[in-house]
Amino acid sequence: MITREEILKLAELSRLEIGDDIEKYQNEISKILGFVEKINELNLKDVEPTNHILDIHNVVREDLAKEPYSQDKVLSNTENKKDGFITVPKVI
Amino acid sequence: MNIKDYKELYLSGEKRPIEVIDEIFKNIESDNKSEKPLNAFISLRKEKALEEASVINDFSKPLAGIPIAVKDNINVEGELTTCGSRILSNYRAIFDAFVIKKLKDAGAIIIGKTNMDEFAMGSSNETSYFGPVRNPHDRDRVPGGSSGGSAASVISFVPISLGSDTGGSIRQPASFCGVVGVKPTYGRVSRFGLVAFASSLDQIGPFARSVEDAAIVYNVIGGHDPMDSTSLNKDHEVNIDNIKKDIKGLRVGIPKEYFTGGINEEVEKGIKKSIEVLKELEAKIVDISLPHTEYAVATYYIIAPAEASSNLARFDGIRYGVREKADTLIETYKKTRGNGFGKEVKRRIMIGTYVLSSGYYDAYYLSAQKVRTLIRDDFKKAFDNVDVIISPTSPTTAFKIGEKIDDPISMYLSDIFTISANIAGIPAMSIPIGRDSKKLPIGIQIMSKWLDEETMFRVAYNLEKNSDYK
């Protein structure tokens, strides 16, 4: 069973406020991890991992200057802006 | 009505595109007022769609004047792209996805953005911030997910739609709603402009009322795109005449691991009937084995959350999305994400973070990537002896709203037959082949070799032609 502290740490690492649901997540995540652990029944010692299914490598395109999206467009999805910049709470 | 029927209407002058489009909006609006609305759309694109329809005069394009609905995780410039989430509930796309450019070039008219499980995480459409979608065949049941709105809209409003499929999110709702749903080979369709969920698994594909229409849309949206580095630089189009050829002598594999119990009796009966149809069409039925099938769901629920936890890190409310106010930057992130994401999404982000964290990485993520190799090799071996593989699309027909929402593992298992195709990257599709005693559609899944969509469509076309599904 995953501990309360582990859930709190995961929430912290994931930058998620989870309120009073700690116990619920403990139960559900433990169950799911128990379920997925099934794969460790297999002997995987000599198996190569696959992280990408296609046999294509080093995909590059020509380094050409292109017209970017306008500043107005890019900033159109936030209300938190000033002088062409996005504003955030004070960091330091 | 299929694409061909719309074209005939337009070419004969019986109706103009603007009349057809206007009628669709009227149908949607009247359904919205009904007692149990389908809730298939998150936003509609009425003004622009009518405007575009009014100026169409070149009907030579493959989708000229054809109405289409688009899943709400695909960017359409100027429209909301919410991903079914509160955190993006105010987000308007500033560019068109590759597939949207292709659709617009082909003359299609985008009607609106369809409801979906939040960030495509779900198999029932119940995790949407905008409420569940109802199944058009029984409004107390789910349409499947995550592309539930796209599937339901094809039954009720439009001839074609787009969805995305990470573990079955096109095929399972296609099965539940009784429409055709296609997940092409990984890399066939550019994901530029699709909001990423699990990048090594995600693929965009069409829903349609017929196999031929699905192939037409696939031909339109596929192709190489330098903006998606996983996009294949190979000819993707299927020849529509070829898919209508007979399937005499074609080898159809039946994987024994897919029929080991756990399938609803009526679904199994439906699939067996299709196998008989294939025999009558003189296809060769071959018993095959995909020995690592039982590990597919577990593998998926490590890989997909791991990739999602990384992909969804960008949603922090800073550059876009609904930002919550807090005193510090870290608190802003936490509050924004805590309030912005629903429970299923938060659960998966935490699982993904867990399986990627040091100390657990080898036991979970690395092991899952190794099992991925085994599952892919199972298919490689199987396709040495067969041309396509068939199975049920889902172990059951559409279940009731609320039935599985509190039991994540039982929900995950409704994708047990569809997940392997994403893990292996092969093309797979679902078509309706019958109904159960409750009149709910039963879907069959057809999988083919990497890049061999044409044979998959051909088998589907023959099954469709010889099935009595109505």
Side-chain angles (χ1 to χ4, degrees):
Chain A
M1 182 87 171
I2 196 162
T3 63
R4 191 184 160 83
E5 286 64 40
E6 281 177 300
I7 292 290
L8 290 172
K9 191 180 171 204
L10 283 177
E12 176 69 30
L13 288 171
S14 314
R15 302 285 186 262
L16 290 170
E17 198 177 75
I18 56 169
D20 299 330
D21 291 331
I22 303 165
E23 208 172 306
K24 194 169 172 268
Y25 282 118
Q26 243 182 299
N27 284 326
E28 286 170 353
I29 292 177
S30 297
K31 257 194 221 161
I32 294 165
L33 290 173
F35 172 75
V36 300
E37 259 163 32
K38 183 181 171 61
I39 61 168
N40 290 313
E41 288 171 7
L42 291 163
N43 179 5
L44 300 169
K45 213 175 84 202
D46 299 320
V47 182
E48 284 292 314
T50 297
N51 46 42
H52 193 267
I53 209 76
L54 298 175
D55 198 25
I56 49 176
H57 305 280
N58 301 333
V59 178
V60 291
R61 57 189 146 87
E62 262 186 278
D63 188 16
L64 295 173
K66 282 187 184 167
E67 193 64 36
Y69 299 118
S70 71
Q71 194 181 41
D72 278 352
K73 251 187 175 182
V74 173
L75 292 175
S76 64
N77 271 298
T78 180
E79 289 162 8
N80 305 288
K81 54 193 160 189
K82 200 181 160 193
D83 305 332
F85 290 95
I86 288 169
T87 58
V88 293
K90 206 170 166 187
V91 180
I92 32 169
Chain B
M1 289 229 307
N2 297 341
I3 292 174
K4 207 167 67 190
D5 305 317
Y6 283 97
K7 289 214 150 171
E8 271 171 28
L9 275 187
Y10 299 156
L11 289 171
S12 68
E14 202 182 323
K15 264 188 188 166
R16 290 175 298 143
I18 191 165
E19 295 171 285
V20 165
I21 304 295
D22 188 53
E23 219 167 274
I24 288 171
F25 284 111
K26 285 200 174 110
N27 290 342
I28 297 169
E29 282 154 19
S30 109
D31 186 76
N32 282 343
K33 287 182 204 135
S34 68
E35 194 194 336
K36 290 176 179 173
L38 289 178
N39 197 24
F41 288 91
I42 289 174
S43 61
L44 293 172
R45 194 170 166 269
K46 191 170 173 181
E47 230 169 86
K48 279 186 202 148
L50 289 170
E51 196 184 302
E52 286 165 14
S54 69
V55 297
I56 289 182
N57 45 29
D58 173 9
F59 291 102
S60 63
K61 290 177 176 176
L63 298 175
I66 307 295
I68 185 165
V70 175
K71 188 174 181 179
D72 208 21
N73 58 354
I74 299 173
N75 282 313
V76 177
E77 190 176 348
E79 304 301 323
L80 288 171
T81 300
T82 70
C83 291
S85 183
R86 181 178 184 273
I87 204 166
L88 288 182
S89 55
N90 61 0
Y91 176 73
R92 275 187 194 277
I94 62 166
F95 65 94
D96 276 335
F98 176 86
V99 291
I100 298 302
K101 270 192 220 137
K102 290 278 181 183
L103 287 176
K104 286 181 175 174
D105 289 348
I109 309 280
I110 296 157
I111 296 297
K113 307 293 296 293
T114 59
N115 204 344
M116 56 184 281
D117 278 300
E118 187 179 6
F119 287 104
M121 297 179 190
S123 311
S124 67
N125 226 294
E126 292 167 287
T127 71
S128 170
Y129 173 66
F130 300 91
V133 175
R134 295 175 183 278
N135 190 312
H137 299 279
D138 176 346
R139 296 201 175 209
D140 292 324
R141 288 177 189 271
V142 304
S146 65
S147 317
S150 290
S153 70
V154 167
I155 284 290
S156 302
F157 306 118
V158 286
I160 50 175
S161 67
L162 289 190
S164 65
D165 190 315
T166 305
S169 281
I170 290 174
R171 289 158 288 153
Q172 186 254 22
S175 172
F176 281 14
C177 289
V179 294
V180 177
V182 180
K183 182 201 92 70
T185 307
Y186 183 78
R188 279 298 205 195
V189 181
S190 163
R191 287 97 46 89
F192 177 66
L194 168 74
V195 179
F197 161 15
S199 304
S200 79
L201 305 162
D202 296 340
Q203 187 60 190
I204 296 173
F207 287 93
R209 291 173 182 163
S210 72
V211 173
E212 181 173 348
D213 280 5
I216 292 170
V217 179
Y218 163 75
N219 280 349
V220 168
I221 62 172
H224 182 242
D225 175 14
M227 296 300 279
D228 177 354
S229 58
T230 64
S231 158
L232 287 164
N233 200 350
K234 288 186 170 135
D235 273 350
H236 76 283
E237 286 190 24
V238 301
N239 180 319
I240 303 289
D241 291 329
N242 285 350
I243 71 169
K244 296 178 180 173
K245 287 185 178 153
D246 67 48
I247 52 168
K248 224 176 265 181
L250 217 72
R251 299 162 304 168
V252 177
I254 315 284
K256 66 173 185 210
E257 291 81 4
Y258 283 53
F259 293 90
T260 50
I263 307 176
N264 168 285
E265 250 174 60
E266 293 188 82
V267 172
E268 189 163 354
K269 226 172 94 189
I271 302 303
K272 289 202 164 140
K273 206 172 143 195
S274 291
I275 296 174
E276 290 310 311
V277 171
L278 291 167
K279 280 182 189 162
E280 279 162 32
L281 297 171
E282 293 178 58
K284 207 175 142 211
I285 305 297
V286 185
D287 288 322
I288 59 161
S289 173
L290 298 167
H292 297 94
T293 297
E294 62 172 309
Y295 300 100
V297 179
T299 304
Y300 178 86
Y301 277 98
I302 294 169
I303 293 174
E307 294 183 10
S309 73
S310 163
N311 273 328
L312 271 61
R314 66 178 60 116
F315 303 111
D316 55 10
I318 301 300
R319 291 147 299 157
Y320 46 77
V322 177
R323 189 195 291 192
E324 302 288 343
K325 282 210 161 55
D327 294 338
T328 67
L329 189 60
I330 298 272
E331 284 308 315
T332 305
Y333 293 150
K334 284 193 203 165
K335 234 175 155 177
T336 294
R337 290 162 61 81
N339 291 338
F341 293 137
K343 289 208 167 108
E344 180 66 29
V345 173
K346 280 190 261 193
R347 189 159 61 216
R348 292 205 201 183
I349 290 174
M350 285 196 277
I351 290 171
T353 304
Y354 184 85
V355 300
L356 288 176
S357 55
S358 91
Y360 299 107
Y361 180 89
D362 284 2
Y364 290 100
Y365 192 64
L366 188 65
S367 291
Q369 288 190 310
K370 289 180 172 184
V371 184
R372 187 169 193 178
T373 305
L374 299 175
I375 292 171
R376 184 200 59 197
D377 290 350
D378 281 356
F379 280 105
K380 265 193 185 159
K381 269 181 223 151
F383 283 124
D384 283 341
N385 299 311
V386 296
D387 301 297
V388 295
I389 296 171
I390 61 164
S391 78
T393 306
S394 187
T396 66
T397 52
F399 46 86
K400 287 230 158 106
I401 294 173
E403 194 178 320
K404 296 190 180 183
I405 194 68
D406 294 322
D407 182 358
I409 291 174
S410 138
M411 186 74 90
Y412 294 175
L413 289 172
S414 75
D415 293 330
I416 191 161
F417 300 134
T418 47
I419 274 175
S420 294
N422 299 81
I423 291 177
I426 57 171
M429 67 189 285
S430 177
I431 65 162
I433 43 101
R435 288 176 191 264
D436 69 6
S437 50
K438 296 189 196 79
K439 303 271 177 233
L440 298 169
I442 298 169
I444 193 168
Q445 176 175 234
I446 303 137
M447 300 176 261
S448 67
K449 267 177 230 167
W450 293 266
L451 309 179
D452 192 11
E453 280 83 3
E454 195 162 281
T455 306
M456 173 182 78
F457 278 116
R458 186 169 141 211
V459 173
Y461 182 87
N462 276 273
L463 271 174
E464 176 187 63
K465 207 170 117 193
N466 292 284
S467 114
D468 47 13
Y469 179 81
K470 279 200 178 66

